[in-house]
Amino acid sequence: MPFFSVFRHRVSATLFTTCLVFPLTSVAQQPSYLPPDSGEILSQYRERCDYVLSQAVTTTSSFDETQGDLFGVAANLDRKTNLEWARKRLRTFNEPPTGNMFWMIPMVLIMQTGRDTLNDDDWAYIRKLWKTYYPYRGDTENHWLMYYTGQYLAAEMFPDDGPEHWFNGKSSAENMDEARSYIEDWIDITISHGQGEFDSPNYADVYIRPLLLLTGWVKDPSFRHKARMILDYILLDYAVESLDGFYGGAHSRVYPRHVIVPSLNAINPLGWLFFGQGEYRYNATHIIAVLSGYTPPTILFHIANDRTKPYIQRELKRTRWRLRNAGPNSFEVKGKRTVPVYKYSYVDSDFILGSCQGGLLQPIQQQTWSLIWRGPTGSSNTFFGLQPHSSPFEGSMYFGEDPDTVTDLIARSKVDYDSEDKLQGGSPYEQVFQHETALIALYDIPKDARFPLIHTFFSRDLKQREEDSSGWIFAQGGPVYIAYRPFAPGEWKPVDWTGLLKSGAGGFVSTGFAALSEGSQSYASYERQNGYIVQIAPSREHDSFESFKTAVKALPLEFSLSPTPSATFTSLDGSELQVSYGKPPSINGNDVEYSSWKLFDGPFSQSERGSKRLEMQYDRERYILDFNTVTIEETIIPSR
Amino acid sequence: MKFLLSSFFILFFATLPLLADDSLVEPKLFAALGMTKSQKASPIPTDSGVFLYDTVNERWRRFGPTIQQVNSLSTDPSNPENIFLACGNGIVRSQDNGKTWRMVTGWRESDITKIVIDPSNGKNVYAASAWGVTISRDGGDSWSAANEGLVEKFSNSIVVDHLNPKRLLVATTAGLFVSYDSAETWEQIPTTPKIAILGLGRNKADPNIWIAGTEGNGVILSSDNGKTWQSTAPGLSTANIYGVTTDPFNGENLAAGGWGTGIWISTDGGKSWKNRGKELPSQNITATTFDYAQSGRLWASTFEEGTFYSDDMGVTWRSDDVVVPGATGSILGAYVNDLGFISVKK
């Protein structure tokens, strides 16, 4: 039996089995969840933690000082194993130091775990690195959080040191003050206005890393407690829109490899560690988590795993800070401008369909909407569409570079940014609206658009894809039926039809992309006034694929593309959805009131704007993060 | 408009090492680097920082710490040992002629694009940034935002009027703004287009002449000390102009360059312009400056294809971008954010 099976919780195993059965049956089955008690949850979590550390130690190539990362060095220092290798690897890894804030994170981890193990020479070497290497603070909030976490914890170890000891010429006290001020400001803005780099299945990981470090090692109890609270907060944000470890819905940032094979995302291994979901896969964050001593509240386990009842999750986020071209919808927070992001996810036991309103809500890597379904690791268990867009206008909205160079410079690290076959990114010409399992996307693309098309990803793992004479395209993804109604004709193309990513350009961004995308196709449409309907249903709710198709084809649908796209569609649940491009959408004649959306609004989480308070709820459990008082309140509501 | 050379020297030495002993100070050409073209598939620049031009050996040499995304630098006219780097991370200052450095800003200040120091009072330091204007009244020890009156905060450049140091001009994405109270308040200069200003300079020989490069509107020029502005260089009227400069030895000589434009030169105070530098390996100009030490020399940086100089007003060009054995880094293939002159202690 593979290792991961041992540590998968029984609930997940049950659901996994169910997943295999669903496509073969037409019997409606209600998913089940048997809540384990807290002791069992914690016990299994500790087992997984032990496994992480033992893996880190036993996989160390102790004879080869050129192999292994700094997190492995930290793990060995903590366990007092392979110490000679650890000392040498620390040095070979830093010849020269590189990675800026990404370097700071494992360095402070090594300093903490090596407190009792590192010798005077080691410390002299480490101190010299902090004196001579000048890390860049970066240009995103995750960069800054890592940078200031590293700065704080490094300085905290030598609190009386003067400016001559640090790369930036500031004393330890000054560095700690500055770092704490930034981190607390970031927390305050996040809990008040929503996270900027929100819900990224890749970048959530690099928020969790520094927060684990702060939670584990900050000496000041109040600051450490606040760090722990925001870590719980970020994990709740993930758990409540996750399915078996997959992060569903709209995302601020995704990469092309990950967007077509979601289990490759950095967050999935954290679902394994924290919530017993999916399979073990190495992620350095595991090591930080285990060494930090952090234990997630057990309520998060239930929220991440209990999918017995489908639910709607509404969330309010914000864009990254806009330097230029902020637009009329922007508002200012402490001197910087941002735009609200309205997220909507329908979370089912077998899938998550989620979206945001569309537009340029994040630079480069936005995923405006997506569907994921329960599927095995390595599968292409997703469905999404986009209008590929790149522009100096967008680039200079979020980056300080000159308008003539910004696109090129972005593409230096995000190689597909200026490619029409890109698989992620927002568009100024899109509007997306979702109600439960139905989604309407409209596009009004000007003539001079960089890439005047839309495309929709059809995974190789879809079954029975059919183009119906009615205009609907039907398919089945695992336990989910999909109906897609394009408003204008398109053509089937291989994913990556320009070969950009297939060629390997872009390093890790595209590594193995050809194999990952092979067999998948994109439905590309070059009509500039365009749109489509997506209607999803769990297969358990229909007698057969045929009955699903019949039901969808019977749904009332009217649309027009000129002068601007609009559509009126009655969804499977009987709601009449109406949207005209550029205008507020409506449900049964009532406009959607985005302005009233809360930061979190769903059965497991509630947070009002400006309250600085997040209430998690599961059954009779309540877990309240109150940042006003920097307290966590845990209660059990008495049964009646 | 022509100025006598003697007048120039009075002004030049009045504005460079204003209070410093002239014999101990020399003008040095700097290049502020953001990155180099060898950066591929990574957000981490391959080289960056400040390089100074060694006129004796005709080589570029690194100066100061290796910091990513250095956008510009400046020295205190009253004390050239005070050096300020305008960086993505904030402002880095040396008070001992570059021996030691300190990041003097905190997390609230970042993406600094340009920095200038009040020639009459080195305590007043002004910085333009992507988040607006930030100022110090204590020589850089502390900083605060100074954006009152600005329509848009993103600022590419800032210049202090050395003849009236309470007066500053700042180049924002909403046009040129002027302050008459040491950056406490700003007001738009009415005759300037309300578009992004990418570069800004003032002539040292004739202080009435100001020049600015714009996004999409070419070059604008003022000959009345920045009060009113007119479009110039019709051949560049739709271009994005990043580099603008005026000759400190001759107020009639102007140069401008931008994306895809090569270098354009005027020798008659902007009445006529000629396109020069077509033999440069790239027509994408990111920065340009006339030489403050050698009369008639013009420098230009192309986007990642080298930094060149011309001693014949752009007819022929030469580059000293070479890798120096044993040196740390080089400006070979660099994206030079700014070229200019600072007064440096000998």
PDB file of all heavy atoms in Angstrom, chain A residues 142-168:
ATOM      1  N   ASN A 142       3.589  38.968  -1.359  1.00  0.00           N
ATOM      2  CA  ASN A 142       4.228  37.760  -0.823  1.00  0.00           C
ATOM      3  C   ASN A 142       5.730  37.993  -0.685  1.00  0.00           C
ATOM      4  O   ASN A 142       6.346  37.528   0.267  1.00  0.00           O
ATOM      5  CB  ASN A 142       3.888  36.525  -1.666  1.00  0.00           C
ATOM      6  CG  ASN A 142       4.662  36.431  -2.970  1.00  0.00           C
ATOM      7  OD1 ASN A 142       5.849  36.140  -2.964  1.00  0.00           O
ATOM      8  ND2 ASN A 142       4.007  36.645  -4.101  1.00  0.00           N
ATOM      9  N   HIS A 143       6.319  38.723  -1.639  1.00  0.00           N
ATOM     10  CA  HIS A 143       7.742  39.062  -1.505  1.00  0.00           C
ATOM     11  C   HIS A 143       7.998  39.843  -0.217  1.00  0.00           C
ATOM     12  O   HIS A 143       8.922  39.552   0.535  1.00  0.00           O
ATOM     13  CB  HIS A 143       8.189  39.938  -2.684  1.00  0.00           C
ATOM     14  CG  HIS A 143       8.280  39.214  -3.987  1.00  0.00           C
ATOM     15  ND1 HIS A 143       8.446  39.865  -5.189  1.00  0.00           N
ATOM     16  CD2 HIS A 143       8.236  37.901  -4.289  1.00  0.00           C
ATOM     17  CE1 HIS A 143       8.497  38.984  -6.171  1.00  0.00           C
ATOM     18  NE2 HIS A 143       8.374  37.785  -5.651  1.00  0.00           N
ATOM     19  N   TRP A 144       7.182  40.826  -0.004  1.00  0.00           N
ATOM     20  CA  TRP A 144       7.404  41.699   1.161  1.00  0.00           C
ATOM     21  C   TRP A 144       7.186  40.942   2.470  1.00  0.00           C
ATOM     22  O   TRP A 144       7.904  41.146   3.445  1.00  0.00           O
ATOM     23  CB  TRP A 144       6.458  42.912   1.083  1.00  0.00           C
ATOM     24  CG  TRP A 144       6.898  43.964   0.110  1.00  0.00           C
ATOM     25  CD1 TRP A 144       7.393  43.751  -1.148  1.00  0.00           C
ATOM     26  CD2 TRP A 144       6.887  45.370   0.298  1.00  0.00           C
ATOM     27  NE1 TRP A 144       7.673  44.948  -1.745  1.00  0.00           N
ATOM     28  CE2 TRP A 144       7.371  45.955  -0.891  1.00  0.00           C
ATOM     29  CE3 TRP A 144       6.499  46.190   1.336  1.00  0.00           C
ATOM     30  CZ2 TRP A 144       7.492  47.343  -1.041  1.00  0.00           C
ATOM     31  CZ3 TRP A 144       6.609  47.582   1.178  1.00  0.00           C
ATOM     32  CH2 TRP A 144       7.106  48.137   0.000  1.00  0.00           C
ATOM     33  N   LEU A 145       6.186  40.088   2.481  1.00  0.00           N
ATOM     34  CA  LEU A 145       5.935  39.336   3.707  1.00  0.00           C
ATOM     35  C   LEU A 145       7.112  38.408   4.014  1.00  0.00           C
ATOM     36  O   LEU A 145       7.543  38.281   5.164  1.00  0.00           O
ATOM     37  CB  LEU A 145       4.633  38.534   3.574  1.00  0.00           C
ATOM     38  CG  LEU A 145       4.168  37.821   4.836  1.00  0.00           C
ATOM     39  CD1 LEU A 145       3.894  38.806   5.968  1.00  0.00           C
ATOM     40  CD2 LEU A 145       2.913  36.996   4.556  1.00  0.00           C
ATOM     41  N   MET A 146       7.641  37.767   2.995  1.00  0.00           N
ATOM     42  CA  MET A 146       8.812  36.904   3.219  1.00  0.00           C
ATOM     43  C   MET A 146      10.022  37.735   3.635  1.00  0.00           C
ATOM     44  O   MET A 146      10.767  37.366   4.551  1.00  0.00           O
ATOM     45  CB  MET A 146       9.121  36.105   1.943  1.00  0.00           C
ATOM     46  CG  MET A 146       8.119  34.992   1.678  1.00  0.00           C
ATOM     47  SD  MET A 146       8.657  33.862   0.364  1.00  0.00           S
ATOM     48  CE  MET A 146       8.277  34.831  -1.077  1.00  0.00           C
ATOM     49  N   TYR A 147      10.217  38.854   2.958  1.00  0.00           N
ATOM     50  CA  TYR A 147      11.371  39.712   3.246  1.00  0.00           C
ATOM     51  C   TYR A 147      11.332  40.190   4.694  1.00  0.00           C
ATOM     52  O   TYR A 147      12.318  40.072   5.434  1.00  0.00           O
ATOM     53  CB  TYR A 147      11.339  40.887   2.276  1.00  0.00           C
ATOM     54  CG  TYR A 147      12.412  41.939   2.466  1.00  0.00           C
ATOM     55  CD1 TYR A 147      13.618  41.866   1.761  1.00  0.00           C
ATOM     56  CD2 TYR A 147      12.212  43.026   3.307  1.00  0.00           C
ATOM     57  CE1 TYR A 147      14.595  42.838   1.906  1.00  0.00           C
ATOM     58  CE2 TYR A 147      13.175  43.999   3.461  1.00  0.00           C
ATOM     59  CZ  TYR A 147      14.367  43.904   2.753  1.00  0.00           C
ATOM     60  OH  TYR A 147      15.328  44.878   2.911  1.00  0.00           O
ATOM     61  N   TYR A 148      10.199  40.709   5.097  1.00  0.00           N
ATOM     62  CA  TYR A 148      10.145  41.287   6.443  1.00  0.00           C
ATOM     63  C   TYR A 148      10.078  40.206   7.532  1.00  0.00           C
ATOM     64  O   TYR A 148      10.543  40.431   8.651  1.00  0.00           O
ATOM     65  CB  TYR A 148       8.984  42.267   6.555  1.00  0.00           C
ATOM     66  CG  TYR A 148       9.358  43.613   5.963  1.00  0.00           C
ATOM     67  CD1 TYR A 148       8.644  44.180   4.916  1.00  0.00           C
ATOM     68  CD2 TYR A 148      10.472  44.303   6.444  1.00  0.00           C
ATOM     69  CE1 TYR A 148       9.015  45.403   4.370  1.00  0.00           C
ATOM     70  CE2 TYR A 148      10.850  45.527   5.901  1.00  0.00           C
ATOM     71  CZ  TYR A 148      10.124  46.063   4.871  1.00  0.00           C
ATOM     72  OH  TYR A 148      10.507  47.275   4.333  1.00  0.00           O
ATOM     73  N   THR A 149       9.534  39.061   7.195  1.00  0.00           N
ATOM     74  CA  THR A 149       9.596  37.950   8.153  1.00  0.00           C
ATOM     75  C   THR A 149      11.045  37.537   8.367  1.00  0.00           C
ATOM     76  O   THR A 149      11.493  37.350   9.515  1.00  0.00           O
ATOM     77  CB  THR A 149       8.768  36.757   7.636  1.00  0.00           C
ATOM     78  OG1 THR A 149       7.396  37.137   7.609  1.00  0.00           O
ATOM     79  CG2 THR A 149       8.949  35.534   8.520  1.00  0.00           C
ATOM     80  N   GLY A 150      11.768  37.391   7.275  1.00  0.00           N
ATOM     81  CA  GLY A 150      13.178  37.041   7.398  1.00  0.00           C
ATOM     82  C   GLY A 150      13.954  38.089   8.165  1.00  0.00           C
ATOM     83  O   GLY A 150      14.770  37.777   9.047  1.00  0.00           O
ATOM     84  N   GLN A 151      13.690  39.339   7.843  1.00  0.00           N
ATOM     85  CA  GLN A 151      14.396  40.433   8.510  1.00  0.00           C
ATOM     86  C   GLN A 151      14.092  40.447  10.006  1.00  0.00           C
ATOM     87  O   GLN A 151      14.993  40.631  10.840  1.00  0.00           O
ATOM     88  CB  GLN A 151      13.981  41.755   7.866  1.00  0.00           C
ATOM     89  CG  GLN A 151      14.681  42.974   8.426  1.00  0.00           C
ATOM     90  CD  GLN A 151      14.391  44.215   7.585  1.00  0.00           C
ATOM     91  OE1 GLN A 151      14.712  44.259   6.400  1.00  0.00           O
ATOM     92  NE2 GLN A 151      13.773  45.216   8.194  1.00  0.00           N
ATOM     93  N   TYR A 152      12.838  40.232  10.345  1.00  0.00           N
ATOM     94  CA  TYR A 152      12.445  40.277  11.757  1.00  0.00           C
ATOM     95  C   TYR A 152      13.112  39.151  12.545  1.00  0.00           C
ATOM     96  O   TYR A 152      13.733  39.366  13.592  1.00  0.00           O
ATOM     97  CB  TYR A 152      10.924  40.175  11.890  1.00  0.00           C
ATOM     98  CG  TYR A 152      10.441  40.350  13.317  1.00  0.00           C
ATOM     99  CD1 TYR A 152      10.092  41.608  13.787  1.00  0.00           C
ATOM    100  CD2 TYR A 152      10.368  39.278  14.191  1.00  0.00           C
ATOM    101  CE1 TYR A 152       9.680  41.791  15.100  1.00  0.00           C
ATOM    102  CE2 TYR A 152       9.955  39.446  15.501  1.00  0.00           C
ATOM    103  CZ  TYR A 152       9.608  40.707  15.942  1.00  0.00           C
ATOM    104  OH  TYR A 152       9.209  40.878  17.252  1.00  0.00           O
ATOM    105  N   LEU A 153      12.968  37.950  12.026  1.00  0.00           N
ATOM    106  CA  LEU A 153      13.453  36.802  12.800  1.00  0.00           C
ATOM    107  C   LEU A 153      14.979  36.747  12.861  1.00  0.00           C
ATOM    108  O   LEU A 153      15.552  36.327  13.870  1.00  0.00           O
ATOM    109  CB  LEU A 153      12.892  35.513  12.203  1.00  0.00           C
ATOM    110  CG  LEU A 153      11.394  35.312  12.447  1.00  0.00           C
ATOM    111  CD1 LEU A 153      10.864  34.148  11.630  1.00  0.00           C
ATOM    112  CD2 LEU A 153      11.114  35.095  13.929  1.00  0.00           C
ATOM    113  N   ALA A 154      15.627  37.186  11.796  1.00  0.00           N
ATOM    114  CA  ALA A 154      17.093  37.215  11.839  1.00  0.00           C
ATOM    115  C   ALA A 154      17.556  38.237  12.871  1.00  0.00           C
ATOM    116  O   ALA A 154      18.450  37.958  13.691  1.00  0.00           O
ATOM    117  CB  ALA A 154      17.647  37.548  10.455  1.00  0.00           C
ATOM    118  N   ALA A 155      16.946  39.408  12.842  1.00  0.00           N
ATOM    119  CA  ALA A 155      17.347  40.454  13.787  1.00  0.00           C
ATOM    120  C   ALA A 155      16.991  40.088  15.221  1.00  0.00           C
ATOM    121  O   ALA A 155      17.724  40.417  16.165  1.00  0.00           O
ATOM    122  CB  ALA A 155      16.683  41.776  13.401  1.00  0.00           C
ATOM    123  N   GLU A 156      15.881  39.385  15.378  1.00  0.00           N
ATOM    124  CA  GLU A 156      15.443  39.019  16.721  1.00  0.00           C
ATOM    125  C   GLU A 156      16.466  38.120  17.427  1.00  0.00           C
ATOM    126  O   GLU A 156      16.561  38.113  18.659  1.00  0.00           O
ATOM    127  CB  GLU A 156      14.090  38.311  16.645  1.00  0.00           C
ATOM    128  CG  GLU A 156      13.412  38.132  17.992  1.00  0.00           C
ATOM    129  CD  GLU A 156      12.195  37.235  17.893  1.00  0.00           C
ATOM    130  OE1 GLU A 156      12.303  36.184  17.234  1.00  0.00           O
ATOM    131  OE2 GLU A 156      11.153  37.589  18.444  1.00  0.00           O
ATOM    132  N   MET A 157      17.224  37.373  16.640  1.00  0.00           N
ATOM    133  CA  MET A 157      18.228  36.492  17.261  1.00  0.00           C
ATOM    134  C   MET A 157      19.409  37.274  17.818  1.00  0.00           C
ATOM    135  O   MET A 157      20.150  36.785  18.654  1.00  0.00           O
ATOM    136  CB  MET A 157      18.729  35.470  16.238  1.00  0.00           C
ATOM    137  CG  MET A 157      17.658  34.497  15.809  1.00  0.00           C
ATOM    138  SD  MET A 157      18.335  33.102  14.927  1.00  0.00           S
ATOM    139  CE  MET A 157      18.950  32.114  16.284  1.00  0.00           C
ATOM    140  N   PHE A 158      19.605  38.475  17.300  1.00  0.00           N
ATOM    141  CA  PHE A 158      20.716  39.322  17.751  1.00  0.00           C
ATOM    142  C   PHE A 158      20.173  40.708  18.055  1.00  0.00           C
ATOM    143  O   PHE A 158      20.492  41.681  17.379  1.00  0.00           O
ATOM    144  CB  PHE A 158      21.802  39.384  16.662  1.00  0.00           C
ATOM    145  CG  PHE A 158      22.243  38.022  16.201  1.00  0.00           C
ATOM    146  CD1 PHE A 158      21.712  37.453  15.052  1.00  0.00           C
ATOM    147  CD2 PHE A 158      23.175  37.300  16.932  1.00  0.00           C
ATOM    148  CE1 PHE A 158      22.100  36.190  14.640  1.00  0.00           C
ATOM    149  CE2 PHE A 158      23.574  36.038  16.521  1.00  0.00           C
ATOM    150  CZ  PHE A 158      23.032  35.478  15.378  1.00  0.00           C
ATOM    151  N   PRO A 159      19.329  40.803  19.047  1.00  0.00           N
ATOM    152  CA  PRO A 159      18.544  42.030  19.244  1.00  0.00           C
ATOM    153  C   PRO A 159      19.363  43.270  19.568  1.00  0.00           C
ATOM    154  O   PRO A 159      18.889  44.386  19.362  1.00  0.00           O
ATOM    155  CB  PRO A 159      17.625  41.664  20.426  1.00  0.00           C
ATOM    156  CG  PRO A 159      18.318  40.539  21.123  1.00  0.00           C
ATOM    157  CD  PRO A 159      19.048  39.785  20.065  1.00  0.00           C
ATOM    158  N   ASP A 160      20.556  43.088  20.053  1.00  0.00           N
ATOM    159  CA  ASP A 160      21.351  44.248  20.436  1.00  0.00           C
ATOM    160  C   ASP A 160      22.358  44.658  19.370  1.00  0.00           C
ATOM    161  O   ASP A 160      23.155  45.583  19.586  1.00  0.00           O
ATOM    162  CB  ASP A 160      22.094  43.956  21.751  1.00  0.00           C
ATOM    163  CG  ASP A 160      21.122  43.634  22.882  1.00  0.00           C
ATOM    164  OD1 ASP A 160      20.047  44.278  22.917  1.00  0.00           O
ATOM    165  OD2 ASP A 160      21.417  42.735  23.692  1.00  0.00           O
ATOM    166  N   ASP A 161      22.347  43.987  18.254  1.00  0.00           N
ATOM    167  CA  ASP A 161      23.347  44.289  17.223  1.00  0.00           C
ATOM    168  C   ASP A 161      23.113  45.656  16.594  1.00  0.00           C
ATOM    169  O   ASP A 161      21.977  46.077  16.368  1.00  0.00           O
ATOM    170  CB  ASP A 161      23.326  43.215  16.138  1.00  0.00           C
ATOM    171  CG  ASP A 161      24.190  42.026  16.525  1.00  0.00           C
ATOM    172  OD1 ASP A 161      24.727  42.022  17.649  1.00  0.00           O
ATOM    173  OD2 ASP A 161      24.318  41.106  15.698  1.00  0.00           O
ATOM    174  N   GLY A 162      24.204  46.293  16.268  1.00  0.00           N
ATOM    175  CA  GLY A 162      24.146  47.591  15.624  1.00  0.00           C
ATOM    176  C   GLY A 162      24.050  47.477  14.116  1.00  0.00           C
ATOM    177  O   GLY A 162      24.037  46.375  13.553  1.00  0.00           O
ATOM    178  N   PRO A 163      23.979  48.620  13.454  1.00  0.00           N
ATOM    179  CA  PRO A 163      23.770  48.627  11.997  1.00  0.00           C
ATOM    180  C   PRO A 163      24.901  47.986  11.206  1.00  0.00           C
ATOM    181  O   PRO A 163      24.694  47.577  10.063  1.00  0.00           O
ATOM    182  CB  PRO A 163      23.625  50.115  11.673  1.00  0.00           C
ATOM    183  CG  PRO A 163      24.223  50.848  12.833  1.00  0.00           C
ATOM    184  CD  PRO A 163      24.026  49.983  14.016  1.00  0.00           C
ATOM    185  N   GLU A 164      26.073  47.914  11.792  1.00  0.00           N
ATOM    186  CA  GLU A 164      27.203  47.367  11.043  1.00  0.00           C
ATOM    187  C   GLU A 164      27.064  45.873  10.779  1.00  0.00           C
ATOM    188  O   GLU A 164      27.824  45.298   9.999  1.00  0.00           O
ATOM    189  CB  GLU A 164      28.510  47.643  11.803  1.00  0.00           C
ATOM    190  CG  GLU A 164      28.707  46.863  13.093  1.00  0.00           C
ATOM    191  CD  GLU A 164      28.010  47.508  14.304  1.00  0.00           C
ATOM    192  OE1 GLU A 164      27.193  48.423  14.098  1.00  0.00           O
ATOM    193  OE2 GLU A 164      28.280  47.073  15.438  1.00  0.00           O
ATOM    194  N   HIS A 165      26.097  45.236  11.408  1.00  0.00           N
ATOM    195  CA  HIS A 165      25.948  43.787  11.253  1.00  0.00           C
ATOM    196  C   HIS A 165      24.986  43.383  10.137  1.00  0.00           C
ATOM    197  O   HIS A 165      24.891  42.204   9.814  1.00  0.00           O
ATOM    198  CB  HIS A 165      25.455  43.165  12.568  1.00  0.00           C
ATOM    199  CG  HIS A 165      26.472  43.181  13.657  1.00  0.00           C
ATOM    200  ND1 HIS A 165      27.498  42.273  13.725  1.00  0.00           N
ATOM    201  CD2 HIS A 165      26.648  44.027  14.706  1.00  0.00           C
ATOM    202  CE1 HIS A 165      28.254  42.538  14.783  1.00  0.00           C
ATOM    203  NE2 HIS A 165      27.759  43.601  15.397  1.00  0.00           N
ATOM    204  N   TRP A 166      24.287  44.352   9.584  1.00  0.00           N
ATOM    205  CA  TRP A 166      23.222  43.996   8.647  1.00  0.00           C
ATOM    206  C   TRP A 166      23.419  44.660   7.297  1.00  0.00           C
ATOM    207  O   TRP A 166      23.942  45.775   7.211  1.00  0.00           O
ATOM    208  CB  TRP A 166      21.854  44.388   9.221  1.00  0.00           C
ATOM    209  CG  TRP A 166      21.583  43.687  10.518  1.00  0.00           C
ATOM    210  CD1 TRP A 166      21.650  44.232  11.762  1.00  0.00           C
ATOM    211  CD2 TRP A 166      21.263  42.306  10.692  1.00  0.00           C
ATOM    212  NE1 TRP A 166      21.378  43.281  12.709  1.00  0.00           N
ATOM    213  CE2 TRP A 166      21.128  42.082  12.092  1.00  0.00           C
ATOM    214  CE3 TRP A 166      21.060  41.240   9.824  1.00  0.00           C
ATOM    215  CZ2 TRP A 166      20.808  40.836  12.622  1.00  0.00           C
ATOM    216  CZ3 TRP A 166      20.740  39.996  10.359  1.00  0.00           C
ATOM    217  CH2 TRP A 166      20.614  39.805  11.734  1.00  0.00           C
ATOM    218  N   PHE A 167      22.966  43.968   6.272  1.00  0.00           N
ATOM    219  CA  PHE A 167      23.161  44.429   4.895  1.00  0.00           C
ATOM    220  C   PHE A 167      22.617  45.822   4.661  1.00  0.00           C
ATOM    221  O   PHE A 167      23.145  46.584   3.854  1.00  0.00           O
ATOM    222  CB  PHE A 167      22.507  43.444   3.922  1.00  0.00           C
ATOM    223  CG  PHE A 167      21.001  43.362   4.038  1.00  0.00           C
ATOM    224  CD1 PHE A 167      20.178  44.166   3.263  1.00  0.00           C
ATOM    225  CD2 PHE A 167      20.403  42.486   4.932  1.00  0.00           C
ATOM    226  CE1 PHE A 167      18.796  44.106   3.377  1.00  0.00           C
ATOM    227  CE2 PHE A 167      19.022  42.408   5.058  1.00  0.00           C
ATOM    228  CZ  PHE A 167      18.213  43.221   4.278  1.00  0.00           C
ATOM    229  N   ASN A 168      21.554  46.173   5.337  1.00  0.00           N
ATOM    230  CA  ASN A 168      20.904  47.454   5.037  1.00  0.00           C
ATOM    231  C   ASN A 168      21.355  48.583   5.953  1.00  0.00           C
ATOM    232  O   ASN A 168      20.822  49.690   5.881  1.00  0.00           O
ATOM    233  CB  ASN A 168      19.384  47.306   5.091  1.00  0.00           C
ATOM    234  CG  ASN A 168      18.895  46.824   6.449  1.00  0.00           C
ATOM    235  OD1 ASN A 168      19.674  46.715   7.401  1.00  0.00           O
ATOM    236  ND2 ASN A 168      17.605  46.539   6.540  1.00  0.00           N
TER     237      ASN A 168
END
